[in-house]
Amino acid sequence: MKLTCAGTKQSPTYYVQKSVRIGNKTTTKTVERLGSIEEIKARCGDADPVEWAKEYTKKLTLAEKESKQGILLKYSASMLIDKNVRRSCNAGYLFLQDIFHSLRLDKICSIISDKYKFEYDLNNILSMLIYSRIIFPGSKRSSFNDSQKFLEQPKCDLHQIYRALEVISKENDFFQSELYKNSQSVIDRKKEVLYYDCTNYYFEIEEEDDFRRYGVSKEHRPNPIIQMGLFMDADGIPLSFSLFNGNENEQPSMTPLEKKIIKDFDTSDFIVCTDAGLSSTANRKFNSIQGRGFVTTQSIKKLKGFLQDFCLDDEGWYLPGDNKTYKLNGLDEQADYDKVFYKDRWINEDGLEQHLIVTYSVKYRNYQRLVRERQIERAKKYVESPSSLNRKKGTDPKRFVEQGHCTCDGEIADRTITCLDQNQIDEEARYDGLYAVCTNLAYAVPDIIAINTKRWEIEECFRIMKTEFKARPVYLSRKDRITAHFTTCFTALIIYRILEKKLHDKYTCEEIINTLRSMDMMIVPGEGYIPTYTRTDLTDALHDAFGFRTDYQIISQKNMRKILNQTKKK
């Protein structure tokens, strides 16, 4: 800061001023008007007014350097704001940027850029797509427009984003393997147990092509789809993914991706956990060699008759750590409500020795009964209105509806009779509360149950991508760009999951993303940034986890530059 004088020699007026930078320009701003000699004398007493003003300016300069001096902002109710000048920005992405650079994604982009020699900044484009996918999810065009809200605006054109998607697709395998290697220095990757599952994504088109095909949609939509297979580690952090045609069977998708993990990720000794839909004999046998193992959900209904009888037998049940045997019909509804009972045996199916473990839970039984009762109520409406039976429904209660040409007493009827199929209802009720898994591991039963219990996290990964990240519908048509789209979604999910771990899994996905989205700041040209968001326990946790704060009453431009450098310096 400096002391300046204006006016005439006979009537000078003194000011404290400083130089400030606004964009690429430097200008002078008045910090405080000290006034005329008489006004200064009123403040300094018997001291020389000019010398006092100089010392006062020095004190203000020192106080500002120590960040102890408050900043006085002046606004006028009669002045219009400047046209086409940004007045606010989002700073929530800074926490994502910190993880982005911790994963050395900028280095990965640099390697790819050196290989292809293009002019645009791949790192700038990829980071923009990832931050926007988490905070402002939408199409590539809307992501580009919404990214203008970030503190640091993207330095690219829309057409360059589409060019970058083509390159990201070509380097998808390299990208995934390097991302995995780099992630090991950021977080401990628990790859002893890997979870695999498949989902699909729809496109708002009518005509299918070689990639987007009509198939069985998980969301029961009539649109063409593509399918995704995803491997996840034991902490719920994605490991690798693959895409395949919408009309293909998902069971053969696991082995090729698993081979790629063994080759590219330099790991082969692990256990694969899947649901029943991916537990084909071929997949089980593939994971029974070279030190690998499997834990997979087993449909009791598909077991041989004597094994079904074993599972449904009322006797011979145990509690983990207890040698006493229990009968299911002797369980107490309240005392045993949260307990999980089990029985197990080794079986030989299709030439493969497997450990069959069956669990029973009163809580799970009651849940299944509740779901079925609601479906029966819906089925009754079909009985009352049989014409609606031809309509397709997602969760299908029509399996409880029977149509025939004879009455319940066996007499021939003149017209079609529609009624509830009580035999089907009773058959399903036999399996209430039961859950079975098969494994080739000679582990203790509680350990196998614990491995299978975490399988819900891969379902949550898909839910986050579809709901929070709005990964579908996909507004792209070329296969390479579609692949790149899911590469950015996959990377965004890894970054988000690491963010959850840094917050110790204390907050929900909705809370975290809504907080990042709301962390706006008012731009004060020449001074800094004023937070306009609400400080909460979650914002405090974010700042504590990453070692910088954006929630001071005002953050100077100099301190904000330090924060930006900190989030990029890894």
Side-chain angles (χ1 to χ4, degrees):
M1 295 185 188
K2 61 182 179 180
L3 180 67
T4 61
C5 178
T8 63
K9 291 183 179 181
Q10 292 78 18
S11 179
T13 302
Y14 291 88
Y15 299 87
V16 178
Q17 294 184 325
K18 68 175 182 178
S19 297
V20 295
R21 177 176 291 276
I22 301 177
N24 296 323
K25 297 181 179 180
T26 301
T27 186
T28 300
K29 179 180 179 180
T30 298
V31 175
E32 184 177 347
R33 178 185 179 277
L34 300 181
S36 63
I37 292 294
E38 296 300 322
E39 290 174 312
I40 296 175
K41 284 182 177 179
R43 297 176 63 178
C44 68
D46 297 333
D48 181 87
V50 176
E51 291 300 321
W52 179 90
K54 291 180 180 179
E55 288 299 321
Y56 181 73
T57 303
K58 290 181 181 179
K59 291 180 180 179
L60 290 183
T61 302
L62 180 62
E64 184 182 51
K65 288 181 178 179
E66 295 176 353
S67 300
K68 295 180 179 179
Q69 176 66 28
I71 296 175
L72 180 64
L73 303 178
K74 296 181 179 181
Y75 294 94
S76 172
S78 61
M79 292 181 63
L80 296 174
I81 61 176
D82 295 332
K83 187 181 292 186
N84 299 323
V85 175
R86 270 206 316 167
R87 299 179 59 81
S88 66
C89 62
N90 175 275
Y93 80 95
L94 293 175
F95 306 100
L96 306 176
Q97 182 165 271
D98 188 283
I99 300 173
F100 181 95
H101 285 269
S102 295
L103 292 169
R104 298 195 288 279
L105 282 160
D106 56 324
K107 308 299 183 191
I108 297 175
C109 291
S110 178
I111 294 171
I112 296 174
S113 298
D114 291 341
K115 178 179 179 180
Y116 289 90
K117 306 296 182 183
F118 40 68
E119 296 181 357
Y120 52 81
D121 188 340
L122 181 62
N123 175 61
N124 187 268
I125 292 174
L126 178 64
S127 60
M128 179 272 293
L129 290 174
I130 290 173
Y131 307 155
S132 297
R133 180 57 51 190
I134 298 174
I135 301 179
F136 304 119
S139 66
K140 297 297 172 285
R141 181 182 292 275
S142 68
S143 295
F144 176 68
N145 293 333
D146 287 335
S147 66
Q148 310 295 324
K149 301 175 185 177
F150 293 143
L151 175 62
E152 300 169 284
Q153 295 182 297
K155 300 174 183 178
C156 62
D157 297 322
L158 183 61
H159 71 90
Q160 293 175 328
I161 295 175
Y162 291 103
R163 299 287 84 78
L165 292 178
E166 299 164 16
V167 175
I168 293 172
S169 174
K170 290 178 182 178
E171 298 296 326
N172 181 42
D173 290 344
F174 170 77
F175 192 89
Q176 289 189 51
S177 62
E178 288 298 301
L179 182 55
Y180 167 72
K181 293 174 185 176
N182 295 346
S183 68
Q184 295 182 87
S185 62
V186 177
I187 192 168
D188 181 24
R189 299 304 299 263
K190 297 180 179 178
K191 57 182 183 297
E192 296 81 9
V193 180
L194 303 183
Y195 296 82
Y196 182 75
D197 204 353
C198 291
T199 192
N200 46 52
Y201 299 86
Y202 70 90
F203 292 74
E204 291 190 333
I205 57 175
E206 297 297 331
E207 295 294 330
E208 64 178 3
D209 55 29
D210 292 338
F211 188 40
R212 301 172 294 174
R213 305 295 293 270
Y214 285 109
V216 181
S217 170
K218 303 280 186 181
E219 300 170 71
H220 309 284
R221 289 181 174 269
N223 310 81
I225 59 174
I226 64 163
Q227 304 200 69
M228 170 188 279
L230 179 70
F231 267 106
M232 176 196 82
D233 69 16
D235 267 334
I237 301 175
L239 187 75
S240 183
F241 81 98
S242 65
L243 300 175
F244 52 100
N245 294 356
N247 63 342
E248 293 181 6
N249 185 354
E250 63 183 24
Q251 286 193 356
S253 68
M254 184 174 77
T255 301
L257 184 56
E258 198 171 335
K259 288 179 178 178
K260 189 177 77 170
I261 289 175
I262 294 171
K263 178 184 175 183
D264 296 344
F265 294 18
D266 193 26
T267 181
S268 60
D269 186 9
F270 51 79
I271 300 166
V272 177
C273 185
T274 67
D275 65 8
L278 291 157
S279 60
S280 66
T281 301
N283 286 341
R284 297 188 197 199
K285 288 184 176 180
F286 181 75
N287 284 307
S288 297
I289 59 175
Q290 298 179 350
R292 293 192 299 279
F294 68 83
V295 176
T296 184
T297 306
Q298 174 63 54
S299 172
I300 298 176
K301 297 177 183 179
K302 293 182 179 180
L303 290 171
K304 295 177 180 178
F306 73 96
L307 292 176
Q308 286 191 25
D309 294 339
F310 167 78
C311 296
L312 295 170
D313 191 351
D314 193 60
E315 299 184 350
W317 294 85
Y318 295 88
L319 276 175
D322 187 355
N323 293 327
K324 177 184 175 182
T325 59
Y326 294 83
K327 287 186 176 182
L328 297 186
N329 61 12
L331 298 180
D332 185 279
E333 287 285 329
Q334 295 182 344
D336 298 323
Y337 182 75
D338 289 317
K339 296 177 181 178
V340 178
F341 299 84
Y342 77 91
K343 61 167 58 175
D344 68 313
R345 61 172 290 174
W346 284 85
I347 63 176
N348 189 310
E349 291 286 290
D350 300 310
L352 185 63
E353 289 289 333
Q354 302 175 66
H355 190 187
L356 173 65
I357 301 170
V358 189
T359 64
Y360 179 84
S361 164
V362 174
K363 183 178 182 179
Y364 184 47
R365 180 204 65 186
N366 291 350
Y367 167 75
Q368 288 181 303
R369 286 180 178 177
L370 177 62
V371 171
R372 188 171 56 256
E373 286 170 3
R374 291 174 178 172
Q375 291 180 335
I376 290 172
E377 290 300 316
R378 294 170 62 192
K380 289 178 180 178
K381 296 181 180 180
Y382 291 123
V383 173
E384 296 169 359
S385 179
S387 60
S388 61
L389 279 173
N390 293 327
R391 300 175 186 171
K392 292 183 179 179
K393 295 288 181 179
T395 53
D396 194 354
K398 295 195 292 291
R399 67 186 187 280
F400 297 136
V401 179
E402 182 182 29
Q403 287 187 316
H405 294 280
C406 36
T407 66
C408 297
D409 298 328
E411 298 179 2
I412 298 177
D414 295 332
R415 57 188 178 83
T416 300
I417 302 297
T418 304
C419 60
L420 287 178
D421 188 347
Q422 190 60 46
N423 291 332
Q424 178 67 23
I425 295 173
D426 294 340
E427 174 64 19
E428 291 196 15
R430 296 174 63 206
Y431 302 94
D432 285 351
L434 297 173
Y435 189 90
V437 297
C438 269
T439 179
N440 62 341
L441 303 172
Y443 288 13
V445 170
D447 295 334
I448 299 298
I449 294 174
I451 289 173
N452 189 67
T453 299
K454 291 181 69 66
R455 199 169 51 79
W456 65 271
E457 290 197 57
I458 197 165
E459 296 289 346
E460 187 183 46
C461 283
F462 289 140
R463 183 194 67 79
I464 291 172
M465 279 203 287
K466 290 184 176 183
T467 305
E468 304 301 331
F469 294 178
K470 296 182 181 178
R472 83 308 183 235
V474 186
Y475 302 104
L476 297 165
S477 58
R478 287 172 43 171
K479 183 177 180 179
D480 56 351
R481 294 180 179 180
I482 293 170
T483 301
H485 165 73
F486 285 106
T487 302
T488 60
C489 292
F490 169 80
T491 309
L493 185 59
I494 292 177
I495 290 176
Y496 169 75
R497 283 299 207 185
I498 293 175
L499 176 60
E500 279 188 330
K501 298 303 175 185
K502 285 182 173 288
L503 295 174
H504 308 292
D505 295 313
K506 290 183 178 180
Y507 302 93
T508 67
C509 180
E510 292 81 4
E511 289 174 332
I512 294 172
I513 292 178
N514 287 337
T515 296
L516 296 179
R517 189 175 296 149
S518 69
M519 294 185 75
D520 290 338
M521 310 191 80
M522 185 177 74
I523 302 173
V524 184
E527 295 293 350
Y529 305 85
I530 298 177
T532 59
Y533 59 87
T534 301
R535 182 186 169 197
T536 64
D537 290 340
L538 177 49
T539 61
D540 280 351
L542 283 166
H543 292 124
D544 292 341
F546 288 87
F548 63 83
R549 304 201 72 92
T550 65
D551 53 358
Y552 293 112
Q553 291 184 0
I554 187 168
I555 301 173
S556 68
Q557 290 180 321
K558 180 179 179 181
N559 287 338
M560 184 58 80
R561 284 195 296 271
K562 289 181 179 179
I563 292 173
L564 293 174
N565 290 334
Q566 178 180 335
T567 60
K568 296 177 182 179
K569 187 177 180 180
K570 303 298 175 186

